[in-house]
Every structure is written in structure tokens, then in C-alpha cells.
Amino acid sequence: MTRANPFRTRHSEAASRNLGLFTATFAPEVLHALPAPPFDQFYVLRSAPGAGKTSLMKCLTAPTLNYIHQRRSKTAHLVSFLTDFGVLDVNGPLVIGVLENLDQNYAGLVDVAEDSDLQKRLLFKLLDARVIQGLIRACLEFAGRAPDEDPDLVQFRPRTPDATRAFMRLGGTSGSDLIAAAEAAEDELLDLFDQIIATSGEMPTGHGRLHSLTALSATGIEVAGAPVSASTLIMFDDAHALAESQRTALLGELRSRAHTVGRWMATRNVALDDDELFGAGDEGRDFDVIELEALARDRTSSAAALHRLTGQTLTPTRFRKVLLDIADKRASPALDRMLTDDTSLTNLLGVEPDSALEFASEDPFARVRSRIADKVGDDPRYAVWLAETVQLDGRDGLARLSEIDVLIERDRTRAQQELFDVPLPADQLVSRGSSSLREAAYMRTAINCGIPYYVGAETYARLGSANIEQFLEVCGDLMARLQTQDVTGRELALTPSIQDKIARDASRNYYRSLTQLPHGNYIQRFVDGVARISKEEAAKPRIPYPPGVTGTALLMSDRAKLREPSSRELPEMAALYCGLKSAIAHNVVWIELNYRVKNADYMVIYLNRLLCPTFDMPLGLGAFRERKLIQMAGWMVEPPRRAGETADPRQGTLL
């Protein structure tokens, strides 16, 4: 009987109901994306779907922290990390986190009231009711009690007149009074959904502000007479589920500097406006934006700007370790049933560097040596260099030999050939070469000779492109292969050949799935355009841009032109704009603004790493080749496909 694939099950939903499962599979290192406590300001967490926003916030809720604290011996790793992070100590949690999902009836309030001001007031009233109920339950759990115990055990002690007035508007300062008022308000608002037509006279008046934030910004909390020393953190998840007017209203309220209670809002990139998607938002004035994927992926000029918050230390290397840790935790129960020893998925991905060469379709050393011989013959200029290649073997040796092949090509095509007959010394190999050129040269040889290239745990972590859901989807392909081997009685092994095939298959499937996104055809055409650039550059014998081209760039002035409505009157410009906007929102590409090169400023556009195997691209950050706006717009124009035709993801042409 085939067991369920642990990467294919609805793990996030199961974990939301089962704290044991959540704490067993949560990688706390992802908290490095957050600022250090105290959380007394407003932050926006944003990313494409699947980057881990909800799990990150769930870790800081009162039930989760209390569960970990009560099971310190079983959750020692989490306890240690959360203690160092500053949200837990020997006495218990130091934060009372309340998580409210905004995908719960809120958007429907727009339909029950026509007046925009009333819509906002109804939204704030329902939010106040649910925040207060959530906080009272959280306070009880913080104190080690059941969340449905007597709410009167919770008492609030406002410290300012504003906080006192806010509590009175919410129903009082005792837990029982607040719960009663909140439940009545929630029932009143939810009853509106059952009415076919609601008249203005029947409408609740709503709240002009979020009174809960005003109240909690200056109050003490007691549970059963004992003061609560932990700070309060109010977190709103799935803000993209709100109507745009509601999201704007909530953002305006949360960013108010009058509030000092910690408050976060998480949203997907699809909810961002054009300015935010194209990198011109106003974060940093009244709030900071934490872009999870931007923090966790390889990047260039934006590194310093991204780590502007105290305690925010997530790096690409650290995040890739987080991904592998998550994969090992998720795969562990399934592997325990299939294997007799304690082997992790990461261990199964481990390969000896030289083992991939065993799967070559031809002798790669012979091929490269033959190519070099055809170029130089017995030319004495390269005698010393060629002497260095005699004893080369293995993966590193093949990379070195391939690099020498490129360096000879570069030397032979130089414009100035002074003293051509003078032998080149060995130290010139070091000064002219580089690790990136060596890797690019090896990759070219590997592709030409059928050597598996996309192998190893680090490679698979890079394929995740800083998105946990995307990474776990690829891990699901690995697990499916292992399960097939298990039921057919074969050795449980992920050879270099198998790993390379799985990576390429996953890449092609992802490429084909792009058409399912909004403006997906335009996204795919944009990707095809970048792929053509990459293919052209990779075909050049001198490999001018090692380790390879994985992106393109627009002049910042062209970027500004693209964003002008008048420019988008041209169909191809409108198509490029819509395709690029959707690609950014869904993590198909990411952008770097104001990248300085050739005395000009560019918006650099890199492809999602999962697309790279389809086009034989390297998985590192890679180089980019700029294109003019009119050229990119031209990518959007292609003949209509006939029925049954699909794009060839390797060539960007029709099949």
C-alpha cells in the first residue's frame, strides 16, 4: 500500500489544528527575517503565496509559545532559539500574540453597505470584536488556563484617558463585559449577511477607529489578579482577502503613530499597487515592509537596504539551511517507515562530486582535450598551460580543463597579440581565471556530454527560489520517486541522474504552469525572451558573462516610461506591463532597482531559479544583459498558436 506523500498533504491546514505537528516541523531560523523584540511598531510582511508568512506569525501566538514552554524538554531546539530571540524565558512567553485571519467575512461587509465610510466603520467594529475576543483567550492560555475559562479572570487596567475611553467603547475593562460586547457586535454584523436588503436604519453605526489598538497601547493586563508582564502583539493575516478600500482603510489605521501596541499585517504581493510592485512604495515613513523572499534570495545592491531592522539577519545561505531543515522534518516519518537506518532526505541528496561523471554520454575529458587540440595544435604559446592539464581528473579536474579551454579561446581572440609566440606562464591561469568562469565552463561541458548537473541538497534549496511552498513541491517529486522505489523493491537512492531529471521535469512543469497565472501568456513570453538572451550568451566560446545570464535589465528611464499610462496605449507595451506586473507579484521574477553599470541606472530583472534547468541556466545569481524597452515589448508579439501547439521551453519556439 502506497502511503501519502508528506509533501503533497495539506500540511499547513493540519499544522494549524495540531500544535504538536506544527512545532515538530517548524524551522525557527526563519524568525531571522523579523526585527528583534520588542514588537512595538507596525510592520507589513509581504511575499508571493507560500513564503511562510502565516507559519512565522503562528509561532508567536500565545497558544504556540505556551505549548512550547510547557514541553520544554521535547521542544529544546525551539526553546533555545526562541529564548535567544527574546520571546521566551524560563518563566514563560514574553509575547502574547493574537493572529486574526482577514479571510473571514470581512470582504463581504462591502456588499451590505453602499456608503464607503459606513463600510470602513463596520470593518473596524468587526475587527475590534475579534481582536478583543482573541486577546482574552490568548491571555488565559498565556496563564496556563483553557481559552474558554471564565473571561472575568482577565482584567484590563488602562493607564491613560484615551485608553479608558477606548475600553468603554469596546464594552468595559473586565473580560466578561468585553466578551459579551464583542460577541453581540459580531452577531449583529454577521446577521447583516442573512438580510437580502439592509436599510440604513437597520445598520450598526460601527467604529470610526480601531478602538482595540488605542486601548491596548496604554494598558496593563491581569489574569486572576496576577499582572501580565508580556507584551501584546496583534497580527493580521491574509490582508489580500480584503477589498481594496478595506485594505487601504486598515493600513491607514495601523500606521498611526498614536498606537504603540505591536501590530503586523501580512499580505500577498498580488494585493500591492503598481508603485509597490515596481519598487516605489512609501514604506519606511510610518512603517517598515519585510519582504520575505527578498531577504532570503541571492541579491546584489539591495542587501544593505533590506537588513535595516535591528535583529533582522536572514541571509540566503541561512534560508537555504532553513529549507533543508523543513524538508528533513517533513520527510522524516515517511523515511523512517522505508529505511532501517536514520537517514534524512538531505543525506539522500548528498552525492560525491565525481559521481555525476559516471553518467556522461561520452568521455568529457576526451571531448575537451580534442577541442583544445583542434585550436592550438602544437603552438608553444600554450605548452605550459597544457602541461597543467595532464593529471587532471574528477569533477574539479574537468572544470579546470574546461576553464583552460575557454581561457585559450579568449587569448586567441584578443585584439592585441603581442609576442604571440612567447609561452604563457602558469600563473596566468590563476590571474585570468575565476571560480565563476570555471563553473560556467564545467556547466557547458556537462550539458554537452550529458553529465547530470542539477544535483545535491544545495541545488534543490536554490530551486526553491526563496519560496517554501515552491521548494516543498519539488521535494514532493523527490519523495514520490523514493516511494515508487520502495513499493517496487528497488534500492532507495537518488542518483545524480535521477536528481537531475527530477529537477528538469519540475522546471518544465513550472514553466508550463505559468500560463495559469493572470496574464500568464505574457509572463511566458517574457521568460522566453530572457531565455533567448541566455542561450545566445552561453553559445559564445569565450563565455563573456560567467557563470551565465539569468536575467535582463531596463534602464530606469525606460522603467518610468513603461509605467506611464500613455505608453501603454500600444498593445505590446500594455502586454509587457501586465505580464511583468503579474510575474513580480507571483515570484516568477524579482527586480533590483537603481543598479549602477556603464554609467547608467537599471532595473535588473532575474528569473525564478526553478526556471533555470529548463533553459540550462546556472542557479547562482548569474549575470544579466540589458535590453531596450521597445525590444522587451517586442517579446510580447508572436503569431497565434495553432490548436495543439505549445511553446518549446528550451528554445522559446513552437513545437
Side-chain angles (χ1 to χ4, degrees):
M1 178 180 174
T2 303
R3 296 184 179 271
N5 189 323
F7 296 98
R8 299 282 190 250
T9 58
R10 300 296 296 176
H11 182 273
S12 59
E13 294 180 5
S16 68
R17 299 186 297 269
N18 185 334
L19 284 177
L21 177 60
F22 177 81
T23 55
T25 56
F26 179 71
E29 290 81 2
V30 75
L31 291 170
H32 285 298
L34 299 175
F39 307 124
D40 55 359
Q41 300 181 45
F42 174 40
Y43 299 102
V44 173
L45 281 65
R46 71 187 189 199
S47 72
K53 300 181 296 295
T54 300
S55 294
L56 193 154
M57 293 188 294
K58 180 179 173 60
C59 181
L60 299 180
T61 60
T64 303
L65 291 177
N66 195 49
Y67 180 93
I68 294 169
H69 174 62
Q70 291 179 346
R71 295 161 179 80
R72 297 179 72 91
S73 61
K74 293 183 178 180
T75 59
H77 176 61
L78 284 171
V79 169
S80 174
F81 189 92
L82 294 173
T83 299
D84 291 342
F85 190 63
V87 297
L88 193 69
D89 67 11
V90 293
N91 297 314
L94 300 176
V95 172
I96 301 179
V98 178
L99 180 58
E100 176 61 23
N101 192 320
L102 298 177
D103 189 18
Q104 301 290 331
N105 307 118
Y106 293 104
L109 293 173
V110 173
D111 299 324
V112 301
E114 295 182 357
D115 180 71
S116 60
D117 183 64
L118 181 55
Q119 291 173 359
K120 181 181 76 170
R121 296 176 68 88
L122 296 180
L123 170 68
F124 287 171
K125 185 170 184 177
L126 185 56
L127 283 171
D128 275 335
R130 288 178 171 168
V131 166
I132 287 298
Q133 290 180 79
L135 178 60
I136 290 173
R137 289 193 294 268
C139 288
L140 290 168
E141 290 188 270
F142 169 84
R145 297 174 178 271
D148 56 354
E149 275 199 53
D150 182 5
D152 231 15
L153 292 170
V154 180
Q155 298 288 324
F156 294 90
R157 308 298 183 196
R159 293 190 290 263
T160 66
D162 284 346
T164 300
R165 285 190 291 270
F167 271 113
M168 292 304 103
R169 291 188 177 98
L170 294 170
T173 57
S174 71
S176 57
D177 289 343
L178 287 166
I179 286 289
E183 289 178 344
E186 187 174 16
D187 290 343
E188 181 183 30
L189 291 168
L190 295 184
D191 283 345
L192 295 176
F193 293 109
D194 297 327
Q195 300 180 29
I196 298 176
I197 299 176
T199 65
S200 58
E202 298 169 332
M203 282 288 183
T205 56
H207 291 174
R209 301 192 63 185
L210 277 177
H211 298 311
S212 56
L213 298 185
T214 302
L216 298 175
S217 291
T219 191
I221 305 175
E222 296 177 359
V223 178
V228 172
S229 58
S231 59
T232 302
L233 174 62
I234 309 299
M235 299 172 284
F236 298 101
D237 196 11
D238 290 341
H240 53 272
L242 297 176
E244 183 177 356
S245 59
Q246 293 177 312
R247 195 163 51 248
T248 301
L250 178 58
L251 180 63
E253 184 68 13
L254 292 175
R255 69 194 301 172
S256 171
R257 294 182 179 180
H259 303 315
T260 57
V261 63
R263 56 215 186 275
W264 296 353
M265 184 177 81
T267 186
R268 294 179 183 175
N269 288 342
V270 293
L272 304 182
D273 61 29
D274 295 1
D275 279 348
E276 290 172 305
L277 276 175
F278 282 90
D282 58 355
E283 62 269 17
R285 298 179 185 177
D286 301 313
F287 63 97
D288 279 295
V289 172
I290 300 172
E291 298 182 75
L292 297 183
E293 286 150 337
L295 287 166
R297 64 192 170 211
D298 289 320
R299 57 197 176 273
T300 53
S301 59
S302 62
L306 285 169
H307 290 103
R308 62 182 177 273
L309 306 179
T310 302
Q312 189 183 62
T313 58
L314 187 67
T315 64
T317 299
R318 178 173 280 172
F319 185 73
R320 286 193 286 271
K321 291 180 180 178
V322 169
L323 291 180
L324 295 173
D325 183 38
I326 292 172
D328 284 341
K329 289 177 178 178
R330 186 78 67 91
S332 179
L335 291 178
D336 287 345
R337 290 190 292 266
M338 292 189 283
L339 296 165
T340 57
D341 58 346
D342 187 16
T343 300
S344 67
L345 182 62
T346 299
N347 288 338
L348 289 173
L349 283 170
V351 295
E352 291 295 326
D354 298 344
S355 62
L357 274 59
E358 300 171 7
F359 298 88
S361 58
E362 61 178 294
D363 184 346
F365 284 92
R367 176 165 181 157
V368 179
R369 292 186 196 280
S370 175
R371 187 166 58 239
I372 293 175
D374 289 342
K375 280 188 288 195
V376 306
D378 56 359
D379 190 336
R381 181 172 176 81
Y382 305 106
V384 176
W385 283 12
L386 294 179
E388 295 282 321
T389 72
V390 173
Q391 301 299 323
L392 294 178
D393 62 2
R395 201 261 193 206
D396 291 343
L398 181 59
R400 181 69 163 168
L401 180 65
S402 301
E403 180 189 30
I404 292 173
D405 177 30
V406 177
L407 292 176
I408 290 174
E409 183 69 32
R410 289 182 173 185
D411 184 72
R412 287 171 58 82
T413 55
R414 286 189 307 163
Q416 301 296 327
Q417 295 283 351
E418 299 92 345
L419 301 177
F420 189 79
D421 57 342
V422 176
L424 289 168
D427 59 7
Q428 288 286 307
L429 280 174
V430 177
S431 61
R432 296 190 185 190
S434 67
S435 59
S436 61
L437 177 61
R438 195 155 45 252
E439 183 60 29
Y442 171 77
M443 183 178 186
R444 185 173 69 181
T445 300
I447 292 168
N448 290 338
C449 297
I451 300 171
Y453 182 77
Y454 299 103
V455 299
E458 175 74 8
T459 288
Y460 271 81
R462 287 182 180 275
L463 288 173
S465 208
N467 187 280
I468 295 173
E469 188 173 281
Q470 178 176 303
F471 169 72
L472 294 179
E473 183 66 25
V474 179
C475 288
D477 297 336
L478 294 169
M479 181 58 68
R481 174 70 189 219
L482 291 170
Q483 289 177 324
T484 299
Q485 292 173 341
D486 183 45
V487 298
T488 56
R490 287 177 287 172
E491 179 187 3
L492 295 186
L494 294 172
T495 66
S497 180
I498 290 173
Q499 291 187 37
D500 185 77
K501 183 180 185 305
I502 289 174
R504 291 179 182 277
D505 288 346
S507 179
R508 284 189 288 268
N509 290 337
Y510 177 58
Y511 171 83
R512 294 183 182 114
S513 74
L514 297 181
T515 57
Q516 301 172 19
L517 298 174
H519 305 292
N521 287 330
Y522 298 145
I523 294 176
Q524 203 173 65
R525 291 176 192 177
F526 183 88
V527 171
D528 289 344
V530 178
R532 284 192 291 271
I533 298 173
S534 177
K535 184 178 178 65
E536 291 167 3
E537 296 298 332
K540 295 178 179 179
R542 299 173 67 249
I543 310 183
Y545 298 99
V549 171
T550 61
T552 187
L554 267 180
L555 281 168
M556 290 296 289
S557 56
D558 276 347
R559 166 184 172 271
K561 187 182 299 182
L562 178 63
R563 297 173 63 215
E564 293 174 0
S566 59
S567 296
R568 300 199 296 273
E569 292 176 2
L570 294 173
E572 60 270 30
M573 290 286 235
L576 175 62
Y577 178 82
C578 292
L580 190 53
K581 178 180 175 182
S582 183
I584 295 170
H586 291 91
N587 197 37
V588 181
V589 303
W590 79 84
I591 61 175
E592 295 278 350
L593 297 181
N594 298 306
Y595 189 93
R596 188 77 175 175
V597 64
K598 299 178 182 178
N599 295 317
D601 293 323
Y602 288 88
M603 176 178 76
V604 183
I605 309 167
Y606 286 110
L607 294 186
N608 185 302
R609 301 295 92 177
L610 188 53
L611 289 166
C612 292
T614 294
F615 304 104
D616 291 328
M617 295 179 185
L619 294 180
L621 189 62
F624 63 86
R625 295 294 287 143
E626 64 273 16
R627 288 294 184 268
K628 294 181 179 179
L629 179 58
I630 193 64
Q631 291 175 292
M632 284 192 191
W635 296 348
M636 301 296 106
V637 182
E638 71 172 26
R641 297 173 184 171
R642 295 187 297 274
E645 288 182 330
T646 59
D648 177 357
R650 291 177 62 87
Q651 307 296 334
T653 58
L654 296 182
L655 291 176

